[in-house]
Amino acid sequence: MLVRSKAPLRLGLAGGGTDVAPYCDLYGGLVLNVTIDKYAYCTIEQSDAISGITFHAVDRGERVESPAVERFELKGELLLHKGVYNRIVETFNGGRPIPLKMTTYSDAPAGSGLGSSSTMVVAMIKAYVELMNLPIGDYEIAHLAYEVERKDIGLSGGKQDQYAATFGGFNFIELLTDGNVIVNPLRIKKWALNELQNSMILYFTGTSRDSAKIIDEQIKSTMDKESNAIEGMHELKESAIRMKHCLLRGDFDGFAECLRSGWEAKKKTSSVISNPAIEELYAFVMANGGKAAKISGAGGGGFMMIVCDPVRRYELIQALETYGTGTPSTVTFAEHGTQAWTLY
């Protein structure tokens, strides 16, 4: 039997960083994001011939083979795979091992700023849900993904990625001070979705980054009550609210302004959000037809999200193809969240 799953990666449009504790625990967070047609994929194979456990991340070139065990130590390679397996065995299989072969890969590298690690966790959990017919819904899948990544494995980060990958589409996500999360799907007019999609470019800078280091600095700034960083976080929340209103009204000049102001606010939260190379790229984009741009995710590298007039998009893509070693591409939004299916 084969079980396959996929979960969409996301673009953080506004409010990113306010979903990270302790800020969201103290002040509450607001995030606006959208999933795109880039995915994390997982396949689980079970048969009489499989008696042990194999995890194979083909895009990372990493493989773990083991006898069927109740629990993996969370060290070495493929921590996400081990962490998800541990939780599934403990919570849903009575502590009994699950012999299987799991194969995974992603359309984006780790450190891309598209939420690839959290999205992979969601894809793996969804595959187990399909395999074992587990009676859990979207909120429980997203919360479990957050618990595995942030608490069990101890990786720094926020909450938005797990919920974006699980629910899919455009979502305005509220992170409450009591730890609860509310996902508000946005009903954006079709013409507005088309206009925005035709206005966007993704540019991979060619450089991945360690988001945990950036997020750790943001956490320290919040705990130390650094006024500039906290002010930046407050501004990010406000930009998320304004951008939501712009999207619902189809106000694309307002959307671009929110993206610009959100990027400036984001840079207040950590000294490593931007760097000279990113600032040089930003200036190039704006000089060649861009209306607004920001680095997706924690910052420091990965993908830059660019908004421009659709009639100048081709021209800007051509210019970016001559700029450095990065790669420009168009954007297609993904309406659905994580999905899974079985082949017998």
Side-chain angles (χ1 to χ4, degrees), residues 83-84 86-89 91-92 118 121-122 124-126 128-129 134 136-152 162-163 166:
V84 171
N86 288 351
R87 268 296 185 114
I88 295 295
V89 166
T91 306
F92 300 106
S118 299
V121 173
V122 168
M124 289 191 286
I125 291 174
K126 184 67 173 180
Y128 281 113
V129 169
L134 301 179
I136 62 175
D138 287 347
Y139 274 100
E140 292 144 310
I141 289 173
H143 180 69
L144 179 58
Y146 172 80
E147 291 260 316
V148 168
E149 195 173 2
R150 305 290 175 241
K151 297 188 177 180
D152 295 0
Q162 297 86 355
Y163 288 85
T166 303

PDB file of all heavy atoms in Angstrom, residues 83-84 86-89 91-92 118 121-122 124-126 128-129 134 136-152 162-163 166:
ATOM      1  N   GLY A  83      10.809  13.303  14.621  1.00  0.00           N
ATOM      2  CA  GLY A  83       9.897  13.941  15.566  1.00  0.00           C
ATOM      3  C   GLY A  83       8.445  13.636  15.273  1.00  0.00           C
ATOM      4  O   GLY A  83       7.660  13.365  16.186  1.00  0.00           O
ATOM      5  N   VAL A  84       8.066  13.665  13.995  1.00  0.00           N
ATOM      6  CA  VAL A  84       6.686  13.339  13.632  1.00  0.00           C
ATOM      7  C   VAL A  84       6.387  11.877  13.961  1.00  0.00           C
ATOM      8  O   VAL A  84       5.342  11.551  14.543  1.00  0.00           O
ATOM      9  CB  VAL A  84       6.438  13.622  12.131  1.00  0.00           C
ATOM     10  CG1 VAL A  84       5.073  13.088  11.707  1.00  0.00           C
ATOM     11  CG2 VAL A  84       6.519  15.122  11.856  1.00  0.00           C
ATOM     12  N   ASN A  86       7.748   9.944  16.201  1.00  0.00           N
ATOM     13  CA  ASN A  86       7.633   9.761  17.647  1.00  0.00           C
ATOM     14  C   ASN A  86       6.252  10.149  18.163  1.00  0.00           C
ATOM     15  O   ASN A  86       5.642   9.438  18.966  1.00  0.00           O
ATOM     16  CB  ASN A  86       8.693  10.596  18.380  1.00  0.00           C
ATOM     17  CG  ASN A  86      10.100  10.040  18.219  1.00  0.00           C
ATOM     18  OD1 ASN A  86      10.292   8.940  17.708  1.00  0.00           O
ATOM     19  ND2 ASN A  86      11.089  10.813  18.640  1.00  0.00           N
ATOM     20  N   ARG A  87       5.757  11.315  17.705  1.00  0.00           N
ATOM     21  CA  ARG A  87       4.449  11.793  18.171  1.00  0.00           C
ATOM     22  C   ARG A  87       3.317  10.880  17.708  1.00  0.00           C
ATOM     23  O   ARG A  87       2.376  10.606  18.458  1.00  0.00           O
ATOM     24  CB  ARG A  87       4.206  13.208  17.664  1.00  0.00           C
ATOM     25  CG  ARG A  87       4.641  14.320  18.577  1.00  0.00           C
ATOM     26  CD  ARG A  87       3.840  14.310  19.882  1.00  0.00           C
ATOM     27  NE  ARG A  87       4.194  15.460  20.675  1.00  0.00           N
ATOM     28  CZ  ARG A  87       3.359  16.452  20.965  1.00  0.00           C
ATOM     29  NH1 ARG A  87       2.116  16.426  20.518  1.00  0.00           N
ATOM     30  NH2 ARG A  87       3.761  17.452  21.715  1.00  0.00           N
ATOM     31  N   ILE A  88       3.389  10.435  16.453  1.00  0.00           N
ATOM     32  CA  ILE A  88       2.330   9.566  15.932  1.00  0.00           C
ATOM     33  C   ILE A  88       2.289   8.252  16.701  1.00  0.00           C
ATOM     34  O   ILE A  88       1.210   7.764  17.096  1.00  0.00           O
ATOM     35  CB  ILE A  88       2.535   9.309  14.425  1.00  0.00           C
ATOM     36  CG1 ILE A  88       2.387  10.618  13.633  1.00  0.00           C
ATOM     37  CG2 ILE A  88       1.568   8.246  13.922  1.00  0.00           C
ATOM     38  CD1 ILE A  88       1.005  11.223  13.672  1.00  0.00           C
ATOM     39  N   VAL A  89       3.450   7.651  16.926  1.00  0.00           N
ATOM     40  CA  VAL A  89       3.520   6.378  17.658  1.00  0.00           C
ATOM     41  C   VAL A  89       2.998   6.551  19.084  1.00  0.00           C
ATOM     42  O   VAL A  89       2.190   5.751  19.573  1.00  0.00           O
ATOM     43  CB  VAL A  89       4.972   5.853  17.667  1.00  0.00           C
ATOM     44  CG1 VAL A  89       5.136   4.733  18.689  1.00  0.00           C
ATOM     45  CG2 VAL A  89       5.354   5.358  16.280  1.00  0.00           C
ATOM     46  N   THR A  91       1.073   9.056  20.455  1.00  0.00           N
ATOM     47  CA  THR A  91      -0.276   9.586  20.640  1.00  0.00           C
ATOM     48  C   THR A  91      -1.351   8.720  19.996  1.00  0.00           C
ATOM     49  O   THR A  91      -2.460   8.604  20.534  1.00  0.00           O
ATOM     50  CB  THR A  91      -0.364  11.016  20.061  1.00  0.00           C
ATOM     51  OG1 THR A  91       0.672  11.819  20.641  1.00  0.00           O
ATOM     52  CG2 THR A  91      -1.713  11.648  20.361  1.00  0.00           C
ATOM     53  N   PHE A  92      -1.020   8.101  18.854  1.00  0.00           N
ATOM     54  CA  PHE A  92      -2.066   7.443  18.080  1.00  0.00           C
ATOM     55  C   PHE A  92      -1.867   5.940  17.876  1.00  0.00           C
ATOM     56  O   PHE A  92      -2.742   5.288  17.317  1.00  0.00           O
ATOM     57  CB  PHE A  92      -2.191   8.111  16.706  1.00  0.00           C
ATOM     58  CG  PHE A  92      -2.548   9.561  16.771  1.00  0.00           C
ATOM     59  CD1 PHE A  92      -1.593  10.538  16.502  1.00  0.00           C
ATOM     60  CD2 PHE A  92      -3.831   9.966  17.107  1.00  0.00           C
ATOM     61  CE1 PHE A  92      -1.918  11.886  16.559  1.00  0.00           C
ATOM     62  CE2 PHE A  92      -4.169  11.306  17.168  1.00  0.00           C
ATOM     63  CZ  PHE A  92      -3.205  12.267  16.896  1.00  0.00           C
ATOM     64  N   SER A 118       8.172  23.647   8.094  1.00  0.00           N
ATOM     65  CA  SER A 118       6.866  23.432   8.712  1.00  0.00           C
ATOM     66  C   SER A 118       5.905  22.767   7.744  1.00  0.00           C
ATOM     67  O   SER A 118       5.082  21.926   8.136  1.00  0.00           O
ATOM     68  CB  SER A 118       6.281  24.767   9.186  1.00  0.00           C
ATOM     69  OG  SER A 118       7.123  25.366  10.144  1.00  0.00           O
ATOM     70  N   VAL A 121       6.499  19.099   7.691  1.00  0.00           N
ATOM     71  CA  VAL A 121       5.920  18.447   8.862  1.00  0.00           C
ATOM     72  C   VAL A 121       4.430  18.210   8.655  1.00  0.00           C
ATOM     73  O   VAL A 121       3.896  17.133   8.954  1.00  0.00           O
ATOM     74  CB  VAL A 121       6.178  19.281  10.131  1.00  0.00           C
ATOM     75  CG1 VAL A 121       5.427  18.693  11.326  1.00  0.00           C
ATOM     76  CG2 VAL A 121       7.668  19.341  10.444  1.00  0.00           C
ATOM     77  N   VAL A 122       3.730  19.214   8.118  1.00  0.00           N
ATOM     78  CA  VAL A 122       2.298  19.070   7.846  1.00  0.00           C
ATOM     79  C   VAL A 122       2.051  17.949   6.839  1.00  0.00           C
ATOM     80  O   VAL A 122       1.147  17.117   7.019  1.00  0.00           O
ATOM     81  CB  VAL A 122       1.702  20.403   7.332  1.00  0.00           C
ATOM     82  CG1 VAL A 122       0.292  20.188   6.777  1.00  0.00           C
ATOM     83  CG2 VAL A 122       1.673  21.432   8.451  1.00  0.00           C
ATOM     84  N   MET A 124       3.873  15.308   6.241  1.00  0.00           N
ATOM     85  CA  MET A 124       4.109  14.012   6.871  1.00  0.00           C
ATOM     86  C   MET A 124       2.962  13.627   7.790  1.00  0.00           C
ATOM     87  O   MET A 124       2.499  12.478   7.791  1.00  0.00           O
ATOM     88  CB  MET A 124       5.441  14.032   7.622  1.00  0.00           C
ATOM     89  CG  MET A 124       6.652  14.051   6.708  1.00  0.00           C
ATOM     90  SD  MET A 124       8.226  13.772   7.565  1.00  0.00           S
ATOM     91  CE  MET A 124       8.455  15.349   8.402  1.00  0.00           C
ATOM     92  N   ILE A 125       2.487  14.572   8.594  1.00  0.00           N
ATOM     93  CA  ILE A 125       1.363  14.273   9.487  1.00  0.00           C
ATOM     94  C   ILE A 125       0.128  13.888   8.688  1.00  0.00           C
ATOM     95  O   ILE A 125      -0.593  12.939   9.025  1.00  0.00           O
ATOM     96  CB  ILE A 125       1.073  15.475  10.406  1.00  0.00           C
ATOM     97  CG1 ILE A 125       2.219  15.655  11.402  1.00  0.00           C
ATOM     98  CG2 ILE A 125      -0.251  15.283  11.157  1.00  0.00           C
ATOM     99  CD1 ILE A 125       2.115  16.902  12.258  1.00  0.00           C
ATOM    100  N   LYS A 126      -0.130  14.617   7.595  1.00  0.00           N
ATOM    101  CA  LYS A 126      -1.298  14.304   6.756  1.00  0.00           C
ATOM    102  C   LYS A 126      -1.187  12.895   6.184  1.00  0.00           C
ATOM    103  O   LYS A 126      -2.201  12.180   6.065  1.00  0.00           O
ATOM    104  CB  LYS A 126      -1.407  15.332   5.632  1.00  0.00           C
ATOM    105  CG  LYS A 126      -2.648  15.162   4.766  1.00  0.00           C
ATOM    106  CD  LYS A 126      -3.928  15.446   5.537  1.00  0.00           C
ATOM    107  CE  LYS A 126      -5.142  15.445   4.615  1.00  0.00           C
ATOM    108  NZ  LYS A 126      -6.400  15.715   5.367  1.00  0.00           N
ATOM    109  N   TYR A 128       0.307  10.314   7.619  1.00  0.00           N
ATOM    110  CA  TYR A 128      -0.036   9.396   8.717  1.00  0.00           C
ATOM    111  C   TYR A 128      -1.546   9.387   8.975  1.00  0.00           C
ATOM    112  O   TYR A 128      -2.129   8.331   9.276  1.00  0.00           O
ATOM    113  CB  TYR A 128       0.700   9.797   9.993  1.00  0.00           C
ATOM    114  CG  TYR A 128       2.144   9.373  10.064  1.00  0.00           C
ATOM    115  CD1 TYR A 128       3.166  10.322  10.039  1.00  0.00           C
ATOM    116  CD2 TYR A 128       2.505   8.034  10.178  1.00  0.00           C
ATOM    117  CE1 TYR A 128       4.498   9.953  10.123  1.00  0.00           C
ATOM    118  CE2 TYR A 128       3.838   7.655  10.261  1.00  0.00           C
ATOM    119  CZ  TYR A 128       4.828   8.613  10.230  1.00  0.00           C
ATOM    120  OH  TYR A 128       6.158   8.233  10.317  1.00  0.00           O
ATOM    121  N   VAL A 129      -2.177  10.547   8.900  1.00  0.00           N
ATOM    122  CA  VAL A 129      -3.632  10.627   9.088  1.00  0.00           C
ATOM    123  C   VAL A 129      -4.341   9.748   8.065  1.00  0.00           C
ATOM    124  O   VAL A 129      -5.280   9.011   8.390  1.00  0.00           O
ATOM    125  CB  VAL A 129      -4.115  12.094   8.977  1.00  0.00           C
ATOM    126  CG1 VAL A 129      -5.636  12.163   8.901  1.00  0.00           C
ATOM    127  CG2 VAL A 129      -3.622  12.908  10.166  1.00  0.00           C
ATOM    128  N   LEU A 134      -6.821   8.528  10.953  1.00  0.00           N
ATOM    129  CA  LEU A 134      -6.899   9.212  12.239  1.00  0.00           C
ATOM    130  C   LEU A 134      -8.021  10.251  12.228  1.00  0.00           C
ATOM    131  O   LEU A 134      -8.158  11.013  11.273  1.00  0.00           O
ATOM    132  CB  LEU A 134      -5.570   9.899  12.560  1.00  0.00           C
ATOM    133  CG  LEU A 134      -4.345   8.982  12.634  1.00  0.00           C
ATOM    134  CD1 LEU A 134      -3.102   9.799  12.925  1.00  0.00           C
ATOM    135  CD2 LEU A 134      -4.544   7.904  13.695  1.00  0.00           C
ATOM    136  N   ILE A 136      -8.683  13.307  13.112  1.00  0.00           N
ATOM    137  CA  ILE A 136      -8.278  14.649  13.521  1.00  0.00           C
ATOM    138  C   ILE A 136      -8.485  15.611  12.353  1.00  0.00           C
ATOM    139  O   ILE A 136      -8.313  15.256  11.195  1.00  0.00           O
ATOM    140  CB  ILE A 136      -6.815  14.702  14.027  1.00  0.00           C
ATOM    141  CG1 ILE A 136      -5.824  14.311  12.939  1.00  0.00           C
ATOM    142  CG2 ILE A 136      -6.644  13.792  15.239  1.00  0.00           C
ATOM    143  CD1 ILE A 136      -4.370  14.461  13.365  1.00  0.00           C
ATOM    144  N   GLY A 137      -8.868  16.842  12.688  1.00  0.00           N
ATOM    145  CA  GLY A 137      -9.178  17.850  11.688  1.00  0.00           C
ATOM    146  C   GLY A 137      -8.020  18.791  11.430  1.00  0.00           C
ATOM    147  O   GLY A 137      -6.906  18.602  11.937  1.00  0.00           O
ATOM    148  N   ASP A 138      -8.306  19.839  10.666  1.00  0.00           N
ATOM    149  CA  ASP A 138      -7.259  20.753  10.217  1.00  0.00           C
ATOM    150  C   ASP A 138      -6.578  21.475  11.375  1.00  0.00           C
ATOM    151  O   ASP A 138      -5.347  21.597  11.406  1.00  0.00           O
ATOM    152  CB  ASP A 138      -7.838  21.774   9.234  1.00  0.00           C
ATOM    153  CG  ASP A 138      -8.152  21.156   7.878  1.00  0.00           C
ATOM    154  OD1 ASP A 138      -7.703  20.018   7.627  1.00  0.00           O
ATOM    155  OD2 ASP A 138      -8.854  21.797   7.083  1.00  0.00           O
ATOM    156  N   TYR A 139      -7.365  21.986  12.322  1.00  0.00           N
ATOM    157  CA  TYR A 139      -6.755  22.702  13.447  1.00  0.00           C
ATOM    158  C   TYR A 139      -5.835  21.772  14.242  1.00  0.00           C
ATOM    159  O   TYR A 139      -4.747  22.175  14.688  1.00  0.00           O
ATOM    160  CB  TYR A 139      -7.834  23.279  14.365  1.00  0.00           C
ATOM    161  CG  TYR A 139      -8.335  24.637  13.936  1.00  0.00           C
ATOM    162  CD1 TYR A 139      -9.533  24.778  13.246  1.00  0.00           C
ATOM    163  CD2 TYR A 139      -7.604  25.790  14.221  1.00  0.00           C
ATOM    164  CE1 TYR A 139      -9.997  26.032  12.850  1.00  0.00           C
ATOM    165  CE2 TYR A 139      -8.063  27.046  13.839  1.00  0.00           C
ATOM    166  CZ  TYR A 139      -9.253  27.159  13.155  1.00  0.00           C
ATOM    167  OH  TYR A 139      -9.695  28.404  12.762  1.00  0.00           O
ATOM    168  N   GLU A 140      -6.247  20.525  14.410  1.00  0.00           N
ATOM    169  CA  GLU A 140      -5.430  19.575  15.179  1.00  0.00           C
ATOM    170  C   GLU A 140      -4.161  19.202  14.421  1.00  0.00           C
ATOM    171  O   GLU A 140      -3.093  19.045  15.036  1.00  0.00           O
ATOM    172  CB  GLU A 140      -6.263  18.328  15.495  1.00  0.00           C
ATOM    173  CG  GLU A 140      -7.391  18.607  16.467  1.00  0.00           C
ATOM    174  CD  GLU A 140      -8.643  17.792  16.152  1.00  0.00           C
ATOM    175  OE1 GLU A 140      -9.078  17.801  14.991  1.00  0.00           O
ATOM    176  OE2 GLU A 140      -9.168  17.166  17.079  1.00  0.00           O
ATOM    177  N   ILE A 141      -4.254  19.065  13.100  1.00  0.00           N
ATOM    178  CA  ILE A 141      -3.055  18.777  12.305  1.00  0.00           C
ATOM    179  C   ILE A 141      -2.053  19.921  12.436  1.00  0.00           C
ATOM    180  O   ILE A 141      -0.864  19.704  12.674  1.00  0.00           O
ATOM    181  CB  ILE A 141      -3.427  18.551  10.829  1.00  0.00           C
ATOM    182  CG1 ILE A 141      -4.170  17.223  10.668  1.00  0.00           C
ATOM    183  CG2 ILE A 141      -2.175  18.571   9.941  1.00  0.00           C
ATOM    184  CD1 ILE A 141      -4.728  17.004   9.275  1.00  0.00           C
ATOM    185  N   ALA A 142      -2.525  21.157  12.275  1.00  0.00           N
ATOM    186  CA  ALA A 142      -1.642  22.321  12.352  1.00  0.00           C
ATOM    187  C   ALA A 142      -1.025  22.452  13.744  1.00  0.00           C
ATOM    188  O   ALA A 142       0.172  22.735  13.879  1.00  0.00           O
ATOM    189  CB  ALA A 142      -2.407  23.583  11.985  1.00  0.00           C
ATOM    190  N   HIS A 143      -1.842  22.256  14.778  1.00  0.00           N
ATOM    191  CA  HIS A 143      -1.323  22.371  16.149  1.00  0.00           C
ATOM    192  C   HIS A 143      -0.297  21.276  16.437  1.00  0.00           C
ATOM    193  O   HIS A 143       0.738  21.538  17.065  1.00  0.00           O
ATOM    194  CB  HIS A 143      -2.471  22.290  17.143  1.00  0.00           C
ATOM    195  CG  HIS A 143      -2.032  22.403  18.576  1.00  0.00           C
ATOM    196  ND1 HIS A 143      -1.537  23.572  19.118  1.00  0.00           N
ATOM    197  CD2 HIS A 143      -1.959  21.469  19.572  1.00  0.00           C
ATOM    198  CE1 HIS A 143      -1.211  23.371  20.382  1.00  0.00           C
ATOM    199  NE2 HIS A 143      -1.443  22.104  20.673  1.00  0.00           N
ATOM    200  N   LEU A 144      -0.571  20.063  15.971  1.00  0.00           N
ATOM    201  CA  LEU A 144       0.378  18.968  16.169  1.00  0.00           C
ATOM    202  C   LEU A 144       1.701  19.267  15.458  1.00  0.00           C
ATOM    203  O   LEU A 144       2.782  19.029  16.017  1.00  0.00           O
ATOM    204  CB  LEU A 144      -0.223  17.661  15.652  1.00  0.00           C
ATOM    205  CG  LEU A 144       0.654  16.412  15.765  1.00  0.00           C
ATOM    206  CD1 LEU A 144       1.052  16.154  17.210  1.00  0.00           C
ATOM    207  CD2 LEU A 144      -0.080  15.201  15.181  1.00  0.00           C
ATOM    208  N   ALA A 145       1.618  19.813  14.244  1.00  0.00           N
ATOM    209  CA  ALA A 145       2.840  20.173  13.510  1.00  0.00           C
ATOM    210  C   ALA A 145       3.644  21.209  14.283  1.00  0.00           C
ATOM    211  O   ALA A 145       4.881  21.124  14.373  1.00  0.00           O
ATOM    212  CB  ALA A 145       2.476  20.695  12.123  1.00  0.00           C
ATOM    213  N   TYR A 146       2.953  22.195  14.842  1.00  0.00           N
ATOM    214  CA  TYR A 146       3.628  23.214  15.649  1.00  0.00           C
ATOM    215  C   TYR A 146       4.298  22.584  16.871  1.00  0.00           C
ATOM    216  O   TYR A 146       5.463  22.883  17.185  1.00  0.00           O
ATOM    217  CB  TYR A 146       2.621  24.272  16.089  1.00  0.00           C
ATOM    218  CG  TYR A 146       3.172  25.259  17.087  1.00  0.00           C
ATOM    219  CD1 TYR A 146       3.964  26.328  16.677  1.00  0.00           C
ATOM    220  CD2 TYR A 146       2.928  25.109  18.450  1.00  0.00           C
ATOM    221  CE1 TYR A 146       4.490  27.224  17.589  1.00  0.00           C
ATOM    222  CE2 TYR A 146       3.459  26.009  19.374  1.00  0.00           C
ATOM    223  CZ  TYR A 146       4.230  27.055  18.938  1.00  0.00           C
ATOM    224  OH  TYR A 146       4.750  27.938  19.854  1.00  0.00           O
ATOM    225  N   GLU A 147       3.584  21.712  17.564  1.00  0.00           N
ATOM    226  CA  GLU A 147       4.131  21.083  18.780  1.00  0.00           C
ATOM    227  C   GLU A 147       5.373  20.251  18.459  1.00  0.00           C
ATOM    228  O   GLU A 147       6.359  20.296  19.196  1.00  0.00           O
ATOM    229  CB  GLU A 147       3.049  20.184  19.402  1.00  0.00           C
ATOM    230  CG  GLU A 147       1.875  20.941  19.984  1.00  0.00           C
ATOM    231  CD  GLU A 147       1.971  21.079  21.473  1.00  0.00           C
ATOM    232  OE1 GLU A 147       2.313  20.086  22.135  1.00  0.00           O
ATOM    233  OE2 GLU A 147       1.710  22.187  21.984  1.00  0.00           O
ATOM    234  N   VAL A 148       5.328  19.492  17.373  1.00  0.00           N
ATOM    235  CA  VAL A 148       6.477  18.653  17.006  1.00  0.00           C
ATOM    236  C   VAL A 148       7.700  19.514  16.725  1.00  0.00           C
ATOM    237  O   VAL A 148       8.793  19.258  17.245  1.00  0.00           O
ATOM    238  CB  VAL A 148       6.138  17.788  15.771  1.00  0.00           C
ATOM    239  CG1 VAL A 148       7.407  17.154  15.206  1.00  0.00           C
ATOM    240  CG2 VAL A 148       5.131  16.714  16.131  1.00  0.00           C
ATOM    241  N   GLU A 149       7.504  20.546  15.912  1.00  0.00           N
ATOM    242  CA  GLU A 149       8.639  21.340  15.455  1.00  0.00           C
ATOM    243  C   GLU A 149       9.192  22.248  16.543  1.00  0.00           C
ATOM    244  O   GLU A 149      10.403  22.343  16.738  1.00  0.00           O
ATOM    245  CB  GLU A 149       8.211  22.165  14.239  1.00  0.00           C
ATOM    246  CG  GLU A 149       9.370  22.745  13.468  1.00  0.00           C
ATOM    247  CD  GLU A 149       8.917  23.410  12.184  1.00  0.00           C
ATOM    248  OE1 GLU A 149       7.700  23.449  11.918  1.00  0.00           O
ATOM    249  OE2 GLU A 149       9.783  23.911  11.452  1.00  0.00           O
ATOM    250  N   ARG A 150       8.304  22.924  17.238  1.00  0.00           N
ATOM    251  CA  ARG A 150       8.749  23.941  18.197  1.00  0.00           C
ATOM    252  C   ARG A 150       9.048  23.374  19.591  1.00  0.00           C
ATOM    253  O   ARG A 150       9.998  23.810  20.241  1.00  0.00           O
ATOM    254  CB  ARG A 150       7.683  25.039  18.332  1.00  0.00           C
ATOM    255  CG  ARG A 150       7.289  25.679  17.015  1.00  0.00           C
ATOM    256  CD  ARG A 150       8.404  26.538  16.442  1.00  0.00           C
ATOM    257  NE  ARG A 150       8.031  27.035  15.121  1.00  0.00           N
ATOM    258  CZ  ARG A 150       8.686  26.782  14.009  1.00  0.00           C
ATOM    259  NH1 ARG A 150       9.786  26.042  14.041  1.00  0.00           N
ATOM    260  NH2 ARG A 150       8.280  27.266  12.857  1.00  0.00           N
ATOM    261  N   LYS A 151       8.243  22.412  20.045  1.00  0.00           N
ATOM    262  CA  LYS A 151       8.402  21.909  21.417  1.00  0.00           C
ATOM    263  C   LYS A 151       9.208  20.617  21.473  1.00  0.00           C
ATOM    264  O   LYS A 151      10.151  20.499  22.251  1.00  0.00           O
ATOM    265  CB  LYS A 151       7.028  21.734  22.061  1.00  0.00           C
ATOM    266  CG  LYS A 151       6.277  23.055  22.206  1.00  0.00           C
ATOM    267  CD  LYS A 151       5.009  22.920  23.010  1.00  0.00           C
ATOM    268  CE  LYS A 151       4.340  24.286  23.188  1.00  0.00           C
ATOM    269  NZ  LYS A 151       3.087  24.189  23.988  1.00  0.00           N
ATOM    270  N   ASP A 152       8.836  19.631  20.659  1.00  0.00           N
ATOM    271  CA  ASP A 152       9.540  18.347  20.728  1.00  0.00           C
ATOM    272  C   ASP A 152      10.977  18.473  20.222  1.00  0.00           C
ATOM    273  O   ASP A 152      11.912  17.992  20.864  1.00  0.00           O
ATOM    274  CB  ASP A 152       8.806  17.291  19.894  1.00  0.00           C
ATOM    275  CG  ASP A 152       7.427  16.967  20.441  1.00  0.00           C
ATOM    276  OD1 ASP A 152       7.045  17.560  21.466  1.00  0.00           O
ATOM    277  OD2 ASP A 152       6.731  16.138  19.826  1.00  0.00           O
ATOM    278  N   GLN A 162       2.451  26.392   9.778  1.00  0.00           N
ATOM    279  CA  GLN A 162       1.714  25.136   9.940  1.00  0.00           C
ATOM    280  C   GLN A 162       0.243  25.311   9.563  1.00  0.00           C
ATOM    281  O   GLN A 162      -0.356  24.434   8.925  1.00  0.00           O
ATOM    282  CB  GLN A 162       1.822  24.644  11.391  1.00  0.00           C
ATOM    283  CG  GLN A 162       3.230  24.312  11.836  1.00  0.00           C
ATOM    284  CD  GLN A 162       4.012  25.504  12.362  1.00  0.00           C
ATOM    285  OE1 GLN A 162       3.558  26.640  12.319  1.00  0.00           O
ATOM    286  NE2 GLN A 162       5.203  25.237  12.875  1.00  0.00           N
ATOM    287  N   TYR A 163      -0.326  26.453   9.931  1.00  0.00           N
ATOM    288  CA  TYR A 163      -1.742  26.691   9.639  1.00  0.00           C
ATOM    289  C   TYR A 163      -1.947  27.024   8.162  1.00  0.00           C
ATOM    290  O   TYR A 163      -2.939  26.600   7.564  1.00  0.00           O
ATOM    291  CB  TYR A 163      -2.283  27.791  10.553  1.00  0.00           C
ATOM    292  CG  TYR A 163      -2.436  27.310  11.969  1.00  0.00           C
ATOM    293  CD1 TYR A 163      -1.359  27.332  12.861  1.00  0.00           C
ATOM    294  CD2 TYR A 163      -3.641  26.788  12.431  1.00  0.00           C
ATOM    295  CE1 TYR A 163      -1.480  26.856  14.158  1.00  0.00           C
ATOM    296  CE2 TYR A 163      -3.769  26.307  13.730  1.00  0.00           C
ATOM    297  CZ  TYR A 163      -2.689  26.346  14.583  1.00  0.00           C
ATOM    298  OH  TYR A 163      -2.817  25.859  15.861  1.00  0.00           O
ATOM    299  N   THR A 166      -1.768  23.753   6.201  1.00  0.00           N
ATOM    300  CA  THR A 166      -2.907  22.872   6.474  1.00  0.00           C
ATOM    301  C   THR A 166      -4.182  23.375   5.811  1.00  0.00           C
ATOM    302  O   THR A 166      -4.921  22.611   5.183  1.00  0.00           O
ATOM    303  CB  THR A 166      -3.132  22.740   7.986  1.00  0.00           C
ATOM    304  OG1 THR A 166      -1.936  22.245   8.603  1.00  0.00           O
ATOM    305  CG2 THR A 166      -4.273  21.772   8.283  1.00  0.00           C
TER     306      THR A 166
END
